[in-house]
């Protein structure tokens, strides 16, 4: 194959809010450039994970190399990167942007700009990309592309006259869109004769060839059989395979400046490759690496336990395999008195946690119990260094603690004006502090500072309910702040159930404890003895309820006679129940743990 001139290469990605049509636009681009045969065509072609297709969302960024014959008669190579829209996967977006010179900013012609449209636009601007604004879904009856184009100018600052109007469903305007990609997105800048530098912006594990790196060559070139070095880890390997994705991998001998491709170099474990690392050649090592990415830190933590203790090894093996293809979640072994052996897992957000759990249950046939999600807190002790904790069990005694700090987020919410009151009420209820409020036509943009702990469970669902599905929200972590937090313990029959412990704000502890006790009462089966369910802060019980005992009528055979005879039988029963309560253990069903997850849902 002849070398591709870098003047005829365009690297671009598609960024947008969830469900504004990124993956469908990608389908049309594949169609028009003839990348797929009729037999291979299917909707959301680049969403190749079963879960992505079922939920209709993109979880992993995908790439495809397209050939396009432009109006000037030349053939151009377009490297398209389709990115996720959900805030939990924004790290995938930031990685993809580093490999591009331009971005298509897609906005729904009916819904207009939403929270993550704005967040992704700012990510693209920070990466100095050429942005082409695109209004999609102009075929909808409710579409108002001119209003949305003006909104793009008002909110993002891109000229309304430059906004392209397309319909990914019908294919209208897609050809013109490709022509604009060629004309407006700059070709890659890089030096072919400089020491080789290629940016690793994704990697995954293939059971047949080991680690596959998705790279963008910035300077120099990579050739089959080159001896390479990873600049961050220092690992040295030999390239055994180079491919480009069209969108099926096709083997090539060389990747030049600006090209995007797959590199296989016999690397055995994914931990040997850091995302954001720079690949260079051993014979001519580059003087400095490319700027990588901010390392992602899990912010939501949850315990995963097998329902059957015998499945522990299977769960461990499944987590190891899943970690190979998703380096953004962490796990470590932990034990619980109530649930036995399991793992404490860290996720980027609540949707990410849900996706990982569903993949474990579906792909590895596991039956799991998940504990209530918590966030990372920072504890400042009276003596010693501050430390970060992820589970309530790790919280030190109040006497040894000077302060507990919780993570705070900046939330941006876009909402139609008529639902603004409901959104403000929701944010105030979640201890939010309003920062500003801006009107864009009939839509409002409101920004709040909120504790992350108040957002991770059901905030998104409540927001959608309060706005009839029209509200959208995006957030970024801004740091830690001291707060009046306490550990809420749950005691069943006098024994603490560590898996149900929560860290909550003191003001909400009473209502949270009472609600948790009420929910558990519904799910804990009745025993031969009364079971007390208590919520406590330290040694102080703040809420209590009792599961009544199953009662046998011991007086059924007493048809009269002296009252003392009846009393004797009742006292004997009472003593038996007291003894049973002392030695009896209460088995808590899985539904009770799930009920703790769904606090607040009536």
């Amino acid at each position: 194959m002849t070398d591709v001139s870098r003047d005829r290469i365009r690297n671009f990605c598609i960024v947008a809010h969830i469900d504004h049509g990124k993956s469908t636009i990608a389908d049309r681009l594949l169609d028009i450039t003839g990348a797929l045969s009729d037999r291979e065509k299917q909707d959301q072609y680049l969403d190749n994970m079963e879960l992505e297709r079922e939920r209709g969302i993109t979880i992993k960024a995908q790439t495809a190399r397209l050939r396009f014959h432009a109006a000037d008669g030349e053939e151009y190579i377009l490297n398209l990167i389709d990115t996720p829209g959900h805030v939990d996967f924004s790290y995938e977006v930031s990685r993809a942007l580093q490999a591009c010179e331009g971005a298509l900013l897609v906005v729904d012609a009916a819904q207009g700009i939403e929270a993550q449209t704005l967040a992704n636009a700012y990510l693209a601007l920070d990466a100095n990309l050429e942005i082409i604004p695109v209004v999609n879904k102009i075929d909808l009856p409710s579409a108002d592309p001119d209003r949305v184009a003006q909104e793009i100018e008002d909110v993002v600052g891109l000229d309304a006259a430059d906004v392209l109007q397309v319909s990914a469903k019908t294919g209208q305007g897609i050809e013109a869109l490709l022509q604009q990609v060629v004309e407006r997105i700059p070709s890659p800048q890089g030096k072919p004769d400089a020491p080789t530098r290629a940016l690793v912006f994704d990697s995954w594990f293939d059971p047949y060839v080991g680690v596959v790196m998705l790279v963008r060559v910035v300077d120099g070139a990579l050739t089959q059989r080159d001896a390479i070095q990873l600049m961050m880890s220092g690992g040295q390997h030999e390239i055994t395979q180079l491919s480009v994705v069209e969108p099926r991998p096709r083997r090539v001998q060389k990747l030049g400046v600006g090209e995007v491709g797959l590199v296989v170099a016999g690397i055995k474990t994914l931990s040997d490759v850091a995302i954001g690392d720079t690949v260079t050649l051993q014979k001519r090592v580059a003087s400095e690496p490319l700027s990588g990415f901010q390392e992602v830190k899990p912010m939501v933590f949850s315990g995963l336990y097998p329902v059957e203790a015998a499945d522990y090894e299977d769960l461990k093996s499944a987590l190891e395999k899943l970690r190979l293809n998703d380096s953004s979640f962490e796990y470590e072994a932990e034990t619980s008195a109530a649930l036995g052996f399991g793992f404490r897992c860290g996720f980027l957000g609540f949707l990410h946690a849900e996706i990982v759990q569903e993949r474990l249950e579906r792909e590895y046939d596991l039956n799991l119990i998940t504990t209530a999600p918590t966030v990372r807190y920072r504890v400042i002790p009276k003596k010693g260094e501050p430390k970060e904790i992820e589970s309530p069990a790790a919280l030190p005694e109040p006497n040894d603690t000077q302060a507990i700090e919780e993570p705070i987020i900046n939330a941006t919410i876009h909402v139609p004006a008529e639902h603004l009151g409901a959104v403000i009420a929701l944010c105030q209820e979640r201890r939010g502090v309003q920062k500003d409020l801006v009107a864009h036509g009939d839509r409002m943009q409101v920004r709040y500072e909120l504790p992350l702990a108040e957002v991770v469970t059901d905030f998104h669902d409540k927001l959608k309910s309060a706005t009839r599905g029209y509200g959208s929200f995006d957030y970024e972590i801004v740091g830690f702040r001291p707060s009046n937090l306490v550990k809420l313990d749950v005691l069943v029959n006098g024994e603490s159930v560590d898996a149900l412990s929560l860290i909550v704000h003191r003001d909400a502890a009473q209502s949270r404890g009472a609600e948790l006790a009420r929910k558990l009462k519904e799910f804990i089966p009745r025993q031969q003895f009364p079971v007390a369910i208590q919520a406590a802060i330290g040694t102080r019980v703040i809420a209590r309820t009792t599961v009544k005992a199953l009662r046998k009528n011991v007086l059924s055979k007493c048809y009269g006679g002296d009252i003392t005879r009846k009393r004797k039988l009742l006292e004997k029963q009472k003593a038996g129940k007291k003894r049973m309560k002392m030695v009896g253990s209460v088995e808590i069903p899985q539904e009770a743990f799930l009920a703790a997850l769904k606090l607040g849902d009536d």
Side-chain angles (χ1 to χ4, degrees):
M1 176 190 155
T2 56
D3 285 354
V4 181
S5 163
R6 63 177 180 167
D7 296 336
R8 295 212 298 275
I9 295 175
R10 301 290 183 270
N11 294 324
F12 70 103
C13 58
I14 306 177
V15 293
H17 187 77
I18 312 156
D19 208 26
H20 279 201
K22 291 182 301 296
S23 298
T24 314
I25 284 186
D27 288 345
R28 293 295 80 74
L29 297 179
L30 291 171
D31 283 354
I32 283 184
T33 55
L36 295 174
S37 65
D38 289 343
R39 186 174 57 81
E40 291 174 315
K41 285 178 187 174
Q42 58 176 6
D43 288 346
Q44 278 81 46
Y45 180 84
L46 294 180
D47 290 347
N48 49 25
M49 205 188 290
E50 186 189 340
L51 207 53
E52 291 181 314
R53 309 187 68 77
E54 194 173 290
R55 285 177 173 245
I57 59 172
T58 302
I59 295 167
K60 287 289 289 176
Q62 299 292 341
T63 184
R65 176 177 163 127
L66 315 171
R67 294 171 180 275
F68 176 63
H69 289 277
D72 60 6
E74 295 282 356
E75 184 181 71
Y76 287 83
I77 297 292
L78 312 180
N79 288 310
L80 155 70
I81 293 156
D82 179 29
T83 59
H86 196 280
V87 62
D88 280 11
F89 304 111
S90 59
Y91 78 102
E92 288 272 352
V93 179
S94 64
R95 277 161 34 172
L97 296 179
Q98 297 281 341
C100 302
E101 277 78 38
L104 302 182
L105 180 67
V106 178
V107 184
D108 188 309
Q111 294 179 346
I113 283 191
E114 305 228 24
Q116 278 148 257
T117 315
L118 210 54
N120 289 334
Y122 289 148
L123 281 174
L125 288 167
D126 289 346
N128 294 320
L129 301 191
E130 177 66 38
I131 298 178
I132 299 177
V134 179
V135 172
N136 185 26
K137 305 190 186 182
I138 58 171
D139 56 306
L140 291 179
S142 57
D144 189 351
D146 295 332
R147 174 186 64 81
V148 173
Q150 191 55 49
E151 204 176 308
I152 291 172
E153 182 171 315
D154 295 345
V155 180
V156 187
L158 299 169
D159 193 340
D162 293 339
V163 176
L164 300 175
Q165 299 187 6
V166 305
S167 165
K169 192 173 177 184
T170 64
Q172 183 186 343
I174 298 293
E175 187 101 33
L177 173 60
L178 281 167
Q179 188 61 41
Q180 287 295 306
V181 167
V182 168
E183 289 173 14
R184 288 168 59 177
I185 292 176
S187 58
Q189 299 304 303
K191 300 174 183 141
D193 49 359
T196 297
R197 294 193 302 171
L199 179 74
V200 180
F201 67 95
D202 202 0
S203 65
W204 57 88
F205 187 80
D206 184 297
Y208 298 105
V209 295
V211 175
V212 180
M213 297 182 286
L214 184 58
V215 305
R216 148 77 197 267
V217 180
V218 176
D219 293 320
L222 290 173
T223 315
Q224 187 91 352
R225 297 286 162 210
D226 272 347
I228 57 167
Q229 181 172 323
L230 295 166
M231 293 185 77
M232 268 164 69
S233 62
Q236 298 190 337
H237 311 276
E238 183 182 302
I239 295 177
T240 55
Q241 206 172 297
L242 287 173
S243 311
V244 291
V245 188
E246 292 189 329
R248 299 245 178 251
R250 178 174 67 79
R251 298 279 283 270
V252 292
Q253 290 299 310
K254 182 180 177 184
L255 289 175
V257 170
E259 290 196 83
V260 173
L262 307 177
V263 177
V264 174
I267 303 171
K268 303 280 192 300
T269 58
L270 205 65
S271 55
D272 291 344
V273 178
I275 302 294
D277 206 342
T278 302
V279 177
T280 188
L281 300 184
Q282 287 179 35
K283 64 184 180 194
R284 195 180 171 202
V285 177
S287 55
E288 57 183 65
L290 299 161
S291 58
F293 315 99
Q294 275 186 317
E295 204 171 315
V296 291
K297 257 185 154 183
M299 289 312 298
V300 174
F301 296 85
S302 190
L304 288 180
Y305 294 85
V307 171
E308 300 292 331
D311 291 342
Y312 174 78
E313 285 301 324
D314 292 342
L315 173 59
K316 185 180 179 184
S317 153
L319 283 168
E320 281 169 3
K321 288 175 185 167
L322 205 57
R323 178 86 172 80
L324 287 175
N325 287 337
D326 185 356
S327 56
S328 57
F329 91 94
E330 296 173 354
Y331 67 92
E332 58 182 37
E334 73 167 2
T335 54
S336 155
L339 299 171
F341 292 100
F343 294 90
R344 185 107 202 131
C345 300
F347 309 96
L348 300 174
F350 196 56
L351 178 76
H352 188 210
E354 216 178 292
I355 295 286
V356 168
Q357 187 195 343
E358 203 163 327
R359 285 185 70 186
L360 285 168
E361 291 187 337
R362 195 180 280 199
E363 294 171 27
Y364 300 96
D365 201 23
L366 292 166
N367 203 357
L368 301 174
I369 293 174
T370 313
T371 63
T374 60
V375 298
R376 193 191 291 268
Y377 294 95
R378 187 183 287 158
V379 178
I380 300 175
K382 287 181 178 170
K383 289 179 186 171
E385 292 292 307
K387 65 171 185 174
E388 292 187 355
I389 62 158
E390 288 115 34
S391 93
L395 195 64
E397 291 300 314
N399 301 340
D400 304 332
T401 308
Q402 186 176 313
I404 304 172
E405 296 182 341
E406 63 180 342
I408 301 293
I409 62 166
N410 247 340
T412 306
I413 300 168
H414 282 245
V415 61
E418 67 264 29
H419 300 304
L420 182 63
V423 169
I424 288 175
L426 175 66
C427 292
Q428 296 295 127
E429 182 193 307
R430 300 297 172 103
R431 299 191 280 129
V433 177
Q434 190 175 327
K435 304 306 285 180
D436 66 18
L437 178 61
V438 184
H440 300 300
D442 59 351
R443 287 180 74 81
M444 310 297 284
Q445 176 188 312
V446 58
R447 288 197 310 135
Y448 262 90
E449 264 189 9
L450 286 156
L452 181 62
E454 298 285 351
V455 171
V456 291
T457 44
D458 59 352
F459 181 82
H460 199 251
D461 295 343
K462 288 272 193 285
L463 177 71
K464 288 289 179 194
S465 302
T467 61
R468 296 189 189 163
Y470 288 109
S472 67
F473 128 96
D474 180 73
Y475 68 85
E476 59 175 357
I477 307 284
V478 291
F480 286 84
R481 195 166 298 162
S483 191
N484 189 3
L485 300 168
V486 291
K487 181 182 171 193
L488 181 67
D489 285 313
V490 175
L491 291 86
V492 175
N493 200 21
E495 285 182 28
S496 175
V497 183
D498 54 354
L500 292 178
S501 296
L502 300 168
I503 296 175
V504 295
H505 195 271
R506 192 180 289 277
D507 295 349
Q510 182 88 40
S511 60
R512 207 61 194 271
E515 197 179 352
L516 190 49
R518 178 178 61 78
K519 272 273 170 88
L520 287 175
K521 184 180 178 181
E522 292 172 26
F523 292 99
I524 291 178
R526 288 172 73 183
Q527 313 288 322
Q528 293 284 349
F529 51 88
V531 177
I533 301 168
Q534 297 164 307
I537 298 171
T539 54
R540 187 166 67 89
V541 174
I542 58 168
R544 175 192 165 123
T545 184
T546 306
V547 178
K548 287 188 174 156
L550 290 167
R551 188 145 186 186
K552 183 182 174 188
N553 185 4
V554 290
L555 306 180
S556 60
K557 292 179 183 170
C558 288
Y559 301 114
D562 191 0
I563 187 70
T564 54
R565 192 166 159 227
K566 290 184 179 180
R567 277 202 190 123
K568 191 175 173 185
L569 285 168
L570 288 169
E571 289 297 328
K572 195 174 175 186
Q573 184 188 36
K574 192 175 174 185
K577 287 193 181 294
K578 191 175 179 183
R579 193 164 62 250
M580 209 185 285
K581 183 171 183 177
M582 287 164 69
V583 297
S585 65
V586 181
E587 193 167 307
I588 302 172
Q590 184 179 352
E591 290 80 19
F593 293 103
L594 297 177
L597 256 178
K598 296 182 171 67
L599 276 188
D601 297 356
D602 289 321

